[in-house]
Amino acid sequence: MTSLPTELYHQNNSSKLFTTQLSNIDTMDENKSQRELGIIEKLCSTYGFVYCCHRDGRYFFHFSEYKNDIQQAKIGDVVEFETTIDKRKQKPVAVNIIPASPEIMGENRVEGTIAVVARQQKPNGFDPLNFLPDGKVTYVKKGETYFLPYAMADLQDSNIPVKVGDQVTFNVSQDRRTNQFFARNIVITEKNLPPVVLPLKRYRGVISTMKDSFGFIEREDALKEIFFHITEFGPNVATNTIQLGVEVEFDIQNRHNKDVASNIVILAKGTVQFDDIDKTPYIGRVLQTLQLKTKKTGDTLIGRLIYDTLDKKMTELPFGERDRCGLYTLLENDIVQFVIAKDKRDGMIRATQISLLDQSFLKSKEHREMGIVVKLDSTTGGGQIKCLSSDQIVLFRFSEVMKDKFQICEGDPLEFSLAINPDNVDLPHAIRIKLLSKDNLLSMVNGHELRLTGIVERDPQEGQLNSENKSQQLNGNDSISIPISRQQESGIIRYVWNETRASIQFLSTNISNTSALYCGDKVEFGLISGSKFATNVTLIERNRVHGWIAIIREGKGFIEEYNTTNNIEPIVFTINSFTGDGTQIDLGDEVEFSIRQVSNRLIAENILKVTSTINSFYSILPTTYRGRVLSPIRLTNTDECEILGRIQKLTDDGTPGEFYTYSITGVKNKRMILLPNDLVTFSIAVGRDYSKRAVNISLENEMRKGKIDTVKGQFGFIDFACEENKKIFFHNSEVDGGFELRAGDEVEFYAQYNQKTGKPCASKLRRTNNLQRPDRLITKLKTVNIDENKGQKLVIVRQPRNADEKSKGFNNNRIERAPGVLIKT
């Protein structure tokens, strides 16, 4: 429908829509200019631009031409204007601009029927330029049917539910910008009450054709298909579940003299039965394959097979695409097994549940190839096979696998036939694919190398020398050590074959394209019948692991490997394992590395410092909590460490709460030492697997207290339990105020890891105690009467340097000296 009868709506003189086009704007007469409809496109300080709705035109206008309050004008307002020629610039401009209504509302009420129930709600009316209502109202005028869109906002009483078939009255409105018609002010006059009839018969079928939003259902009761739209499934059914082969139940409605399916419900698989099946198995031979089917024939049962009946008579039966047990290719003269089915709808007899027998390959003497799966591609629904006889790479599809519910993996041995690819004649593809067992393949290979893929579980390592080294003199001066014999520990490759896990050993001398292999590397290797070692091991993909520096001690340390679980085994590393010169590392730095296993110990090699990505693994919650450290990160000995600690959350009243693990990445100051029972503040981070960790950890009081144990020249030790030691090191350069510390002094300090050595040390020391006279001297001075005016007063400027609270008097004997004479010590 492209237009409406003019009597449906009334137009007065003030709201006429002029759409006359200006054929020649350059020769237009100012006095005969017609008014046009436009939209304000731009507003500047004293001028703007208006865009014509019904033809391609953009005109300049001055604010003085706007015949209303220009302060109330907005971009997007609908206006009426005239056009004239600017005498100075000889360009068309807009004049006599007045605001206009974007819609024309008809005065006459029209009777109609609800055709489609509206679901979208749009307050403040609709903007047809950006939004179109989804409801439909239909009415008939002079034998012609018209449809008008409407929305829920157009119903005068939105609380009354609207159904298809309800009788309504409404006004017709026209958008002046797009000439689109709408139904407004809809009032329900008569509800469409369903007649009291017997329950409708429900029908069943299977979806046979599926397009974007519609399809066809093959009916169970009749030999024909019926149209359906996906909206008939209801809003609670996901569109991805509406697929070919889905069994459904539905009603049949007549719309526009055509039967369509409505109120569709999905049924359980196996509910719809088209046939009565005789379960007696028969054996037959294929006469005509399904490849001969063309679009012109339209016959779905194009296949033909022949078999011997019970009375020894040869009988032909048709079959179609759905009658095969698999989608693999069937060829002429194939020996197959099947059962007979009788269609309930028309009584036609056909063969179904057709499967290819192994004896077919023996009788036909079909040439079969063997190969190994080298690549899988889920996007194309198949992969690539490497032929053992010629090393040729051929393509295959999963549909050609003859075993149902079989999961193909890389490295699986297969038996197949080659066929010409219709898309590329030069590149054959594999058909009629069967899985081979390990024993069958090795017996058929006859000494040929079988190529498989696997993962390195342990890399080969050099063992201990079996005898002492001999020294050989070079040029009489230098000597080198030459081992007589060296025993090598073989590596292990783990692989999957014949749906079972297996492993095989390999030596470093069998590695072909790289100097070394590491744990987790993906490799391709050769397997020969009777050999215990893999041959020609080739690296396919290097396994690189991410982690963070957890502990550093004098050129070596431990790495925390990225893992979603809390059972993380620390990985040992040395500074020499970093790639690149002059790499500066610090606690918490993210690294990428390969793993080597030596004596059941994981060691990191080929370490590379990378940009931090810790923020992509966890999402930090905004709330900050108080807690207490239960177990910190610490180095237990030179070979063991604990890289995960635990923090217990405390409530506002100090009640213990939940436990959270943390690592070095969660501590704000990476060099700060956390000890048991330290009070901290922290946040909670949630990982991708919804695991929780403590992050942004800060000490509430970073100042530690202790007593000086010993002082040795420019350094000393403080009684302070840290990690496995009971004393912590300090240097005199870290003492604030220039005080000279002595054994027994009480001090405050910060406990941190040394940046060079990585060992715990104290910094920013401050003495807290002041040495005083013994109590006995203080008591005696209080009892002595001293006249400050007449008597003399003794003032102690400083305490004796060699005095302490344990010994009596001075340690050194005092001697007399003459004034002005120096005494040598």
Side-chain angles (χ1 to χ4, degrees):
M1 186 201 71
T2 58
S3 62
L4 289 177
T6 55
E7 58 269 19
L8 290 181
Y9 56 92
H10 173 70
Q11 297 179 352
N12 51 32
N13 294 331
S14 61
S15 61
K16 287 185 177 181
L17 177 61
F18 297 99
T19 59
T20 303
Q21 298 184 357
L22 301 179
S23 59
N24 192 347
I25 195 67
D26 294 331
T27 60
M28 182 176 57
D29 187 359
E30 293 185 13
N31 298 327
K32 295 182 180 181
S33 296
Q34 293 182 337
R35 299 193 65 78
E36 300 190 44
L37 192 71
I39 300 174
I40 295 179
E41 185 184 48
K42 185 176 182 181
L43 291 175
C44 298
S45 58
T46 59
Y47 63 92
F49 291 89
V50 61
Y51 185 81
C52 185
C53 290
H54 302 104
R55 60 187 180 84
D56 189 10
R58 184 173 181 266
Y59 303 105
F60 170 89
F61 74 93
H62 194 269
F63 282 176
S64 60
E65 295 294 338
Y66 193 79
K67 303 307 179 183
N68 206 339
D69 187 4
I70 190 61
Q71 301 298 330
Q72 298 181 0
K74 304 184 299 297
I75 295 176
D77 286 353
V78 180
V79 294
E80 287 184 357
F81 63 93
E82 298 177 1
T83 55
T84 184
I85 297 297
D86 189 346
K87 296 180 180 179
R88 184 166 59 89
K89 295 185 178 181
Q90 294 299 316
K91 290 184 179 180
V93 295
V95 296
N96 297 331
I97 303 172
I98 59 173
S101 174
E103 263 188 10
I104 303 174
M105 183 70 70
E107 296 179 356
N108 300 329
R109 300 287 290 178
V110 181
E111 295 181 355
T113 306
I114 299 294
V116 179
V117 178
R119 297 180 182 178
Q120 299 180 6
Q121 178 71 30
K122 181 73 174 180
N124 302 326
F126 295 101
D127 182 6
L129 297 177
N130 300 315
F131 183 85
L132 190 64
D134 60 344
K136 296 286 185 181
V137 175
T138 181
Y139 64 94
V140 179
K141 191 70 174 180
K142 294 181 180 181
E144 187 176 358
T145 303
Y146 298 90
F147 289 84
L148 292 181
Y150 81 97
M152 294 183 64
D154 294 318
L155 299 174
Q156 287 192 354
D157 191 353
S158 59
N159 295 325
I160 301 176
V162 179
K163 296 183 179 179
V164 175
D166 290 349
Q167 302 296 320
V168 294
T169 61
F170 55 90
N171 295 106
V172 178
S173 69
Q174 181 186 24
D175 190 280
R176 302 180 65 188
R177 297 166 291 182
T178 62
N179 290 340
Q180 176 72 39
F181 292 93
F182 299 94
R184 306 291 195 201
N185 304 326
I186 300 175
V187 177
I188 300 176
T189 58
E190 182 180 351
K191 296 290 291 183
N192 181 27
L193 299 176
V196 180
V197 294
L198 295 175
L200 295 176
K201 179 182 177 181
R202 297 283 287 176
Y203 299 87
R204 295 187 300 184
V206 177
I207 297 178
S208 58
T209 306
M210 189 67 207
K211 301 296 183 181
D212 294 335
S213 59
F214 65 92
F216 290 90
I217 300 173
E218 184 178 357
R219 292 170 55 175
E220 183 186 32
D221 61 313
L223 195 61
K224 58 182 179 179
E225 296 181 337
I226 187 171
F227 173 86
F228 76 93
H229 196 272
I230 60 174
T231 56
E232 295 296 338
F233 281 86
N236 297 327
V237 179
T239 56
N240 58 356
T241 61
I242 307 174
Q243 300 175 354
L244 293 177
V246 173
E247 301 177 13
V248 295
E249 187 180 50
F250 56 92
D251 295 330
I252 296 179
Q253 290 185 359
N254 187 280
R255 297 177 184 172
H256 304 290
N257 298 325
K258 290 184 179 180
D259 290 341
V260 297
S262 62
N263 301 325
I264 306 175
V265 177
I266 297 178
L267 300 177
K269 187 174 182 60
T271 305
V272 179
Q273 298 290 336
F274 294 104
D275 310 302
D276 290 327
I277 299 178
D278 181 8
K279 296 185 179 180
T280 304
Y282 295 90
I283 295 177
R285 180 169 55 87
V286 176
L287 292 178
Q288 181 174 305
T289 63
L290 297 172
Q291 280 77 7
L292 299 177
K293 180 180 177 181
T294 60
K295 295 182 179 179
K296 294 182 179 180
T297 60
D299 187 5
T300 57
L301 303 179
I302 193 65
R304 293 288 187 274
L305 60 81
I306 189 172
Y307 75 105
D308 290 332
T309 60
L310 297 178
D311 55 358
K312 304 299 181 180
K313 292 183 179 180
M314 301 297 292
T315 304
E316 286 189 19
L317 285 179
F319 66 91
E321 289 279 354
R322 294 186 303 176
D323 295 320
R324 296 180 296 171
C325 291
L327 298 178
Y328 52 86
T329 303
L330 288 178
L331 302 177
E332 291 185 8
N333 299 319
D334 279 347
I335 307 301
V336 295
Q337 180 178 297
F338 64 96
V339 296
I340 297 176
K342 182 179 179 181
D343 198 314
K344 295 179 180 179
R345 298 167 292 182
D346 59 356
M348 176 178 287
I349 297 177
R350 73 181 193 281
T352 188
Q353 298 181 12
I354 301 173
S355 60
L356 182 63
L357 298 178
D358 291 340
Q359 66 189 49
S360 177
F361 299 115
L362 299 177
K363 289 187 176 182
S364 64
K365 297 182 180 180
E366 180 180 339
H367 179 68
R368 302 286 284 174
E369 295 278 352
M370 290 182 296
I372 302 298
V373 179
V374 295
K375 183 180 181 181
L376 295 178
D377 191 353
S378 58
T379 58
T380 60
Q384 298 179 0
I385 303 175
K386 183 178 181 180
C387 298
L388 294 180
S389 60
S390 61
D391 289 341
Q392 183 183 10
I393 302 297
V394 296
L395 302 178
F396 77 96
R397 290 186 175 275
F398 296 136
S399 59
E400 288 291 342
V401 180
M402 296 174 58
K403 185 178 179 181
D404 294 336
K405 299 179 181 179
F406 169 63
Q407 183 69 29
I408 293 182
C409 302
E410 292 185 4
D412 286 344
L414 303 176
E415 182 185 77
F416 55 92
S417 301
L418 292 179
I420 297 176
N421 193 335
D423 298 331
N424 189 349
V425 180
D426 297 331
L427 186 62
H429 67 283
I431 61 173
R432 301 149 73 92
I433 301 172
K434 289 179 58 178
L435 176 68
L436 287 179
S437 65
K438 180 179 180 181
D439 296 334
N440 291 339
L441 181 62
L442 288 178
S443 62
M444 299 175 70
V445 169
N446 296 327
H448 292 287
E449 184 185 40
L450 174 65
R451 300 296 293 176
L452 301 175
T453 59
I455 302 297
V456 175
E457 187 178 81
R458 188 186 70 195
D459 56 296
Q461 302 155 17
E462 296 291 338
Q464 300 295 330
L465 297 181
N466 292 335
S467 60
E468 297 181 355
N469 296 344
K470 290 186 177 181
S471 298
Q472 178 181 1
Q473 298 292 332
L474 297 178
N475 300 328
N477 298 324
D478 301 330
S479 65
I480 59 174
S481 296
I482 302 177
I484 295 179
S485 63
R486 181 182 295 272
Q487 183 180 5
Q488 187 189 62
E489 184 178 0
S490 60
I492 297 177
I493 298 176
R494 182 76 61 181
Y495 64 98
V496 177
W497 193 6
N498 196 19
E499 299 182 358
T500 58
R501 295 182 178 272
S503 61
I504 190 171
Q505 302 179 20
F506 73 101
L507 302 175
S508 60
T509 55
N510 292 330
I511 302 175
S512 60
N513 64 340
T514 183
S515 59
L517 290 176
Y518 302 98
C519 295
D521 289 349
K522 184 177 181 181
V523 295
E524 184 184 32
F525 61 95
L527 181 63
I528 300 178
S529 177
S531 176
K532 297 181 179 180
F533 293 91
T535 61
N536 194 17
V537 182
T538 305
L539 175 65
I540 298 178
E541 182 180 352
R542 182 72 76 185
N543 178 42
R544 298 290 286 174
V545 185
H546 277 253
W548 298 273
I549 302 297
I551 293 177
I552 304 176
R553 287 290 190 280
E554 296 180 342
K556 63 180 181 179
F558 295 88
I559 296 176
E560 173 199 354
E561 179 186 357
Y562 170 68
N563 199 328
T564 56
T565 64
N566 291 331
N567 299 324
I568 300 177
E569 182 179 357
I571 301 174
V572 184
F573 77 95
T574 61
I575 298 297
N576 297 332
S577 298
F578 278 82
T579 59
D581 298 333
T583 303
Q584 298 293 330
I585 61 170
D586 200 354
L587 291 173
D589 286 348
E590 185 169 346
V591 292
E592 183 184 76
F593 55 93
S594 298
I595 297 179
R596 172 162 286 170
Q597 188 173 5
V598 178
S599 301
N600 297 324
R601 188 69 179 273
L602 298 181
I603 298 177
E605 291 193 5
N606 292 338
I607 308 174
L608 177 65
K609 184 177 177 181
V610 297
T611 306
S612 177
T613 59
I614 186 67
N615 294 330
S616 63
F617 298 142
Y618 294 96
S619 299
I620 301 176
L621 303 181
T623 309
T624 303
Y625 302 95
R626 293 183 69 250
R628 184 179 71 252
V629 177
L630 295 182
S631 58
I633 302 171
R634 65 193 185 97
L635 181 70
T636 56
N637 54 60
T638 56
D639 295 329
E640 299 293 336
C641 73
E642 296 177 0
I643 60 177
L644 287 181
R646 289 205 309 165
I647 292 177
Q648 186 177 31
K649 186 173 69 172
L650 300 177
T651 59
D652 295 337
D653 57 355
T655 305
E658 299 177 85
F659 297 92
Y660 297 97
T661 60
Y662 77 94
S663 66
I664 192 64
T665 57
V667 183
K668 278 190 175 181
N669 183 4
K670 302 293 188 296
R671 298 200 168 274
M672 177 180 63
I673 299 177
L674 294 179
L675 299 176
N677 297 320
D678 279 347
L679 294 178
V680 295
T681 60
F682 66 96
S683 301
I684 298 176
V686 181
R688 295 176 179 175
D689 59 343
Y690 302 102
S691 62
K692 295 182 179 180
R693 273 197 176 191
V695 295
N696 294 337
I697 303 171
S698 299
L699 269 174
E700 288 190 351
N701 184 12
E702 296 186 12
M703 293 295 295
R704 310 285 188 174
K705 292 183 179 180
K707 184 179 289 187
I708 300 295
D709 179 68
T710 56
V711 178
K712 299 178 180 179
Q714 297 297 319
F715 64 92
F717 292 90
I718 305 173
D719 282 330
F720 183 74
C722 181
E723 291 188 351
E724 72 276 9
N725 299 321
K726 295 183 179 180
K727 297 179 177 59
I728 189 171
F729 171 86
F730 75 91
H731 195 271
N732 284 345
S733 60
E734 294 291 340
V735 180
D736 289 345
F739 291 102
E740 184 177 350
L741 297 179
R742 299 184 301 276
D745 285 350
E746 295 180 357
V747 292
E748 289 183 344
F749 58 91
Y750 291 94
Q752 294 182 343
Y753 291 108
N754 186 275
Q755 189 170 2
K756 293 182 179 179
T757 63
K759 293 184 178 181
C761 64
S763 64
K764 299 182 180 179
L765 283 78
R766 183 166 58 89
R767 189 174 63 185
T768 58
N769 64 322
N770 293 319
L771 294 179
Q772 298 180 353
R773 291 186 179 89
D775 293 338
R776 58 184 178 81
L777 293 179
I778 297 175
T779 305
K780 186 176 181 181
L781 288 174
K782 289 181 179 180
T783 59
V784 176
N785 286 327
I786 298 178
D787 189 354
E788 296 182 357
N789 297 326
K790 298 180 180 180
Q792 295 181 349
K793 183 178 180 181
L794 178 63
V795 179
I796 302 299
V797 179
R798 62 174 177 83
Q799 296 291 335
R801 292 185 180 277
N802 294 326
D804 54 30
E805 297 179 359
K806 298 179 182 179
S807 60
K808 296 181 180 180
F810 296 96
N811 293 334
N812 300 327
N813 295 327
R814 302 186 67 182
I815 57 177
E816 293 187 12
R817 67 179 182 85
V821 178
L822 296 176
I823 298 177
K824 295 183 180 180
T825 59

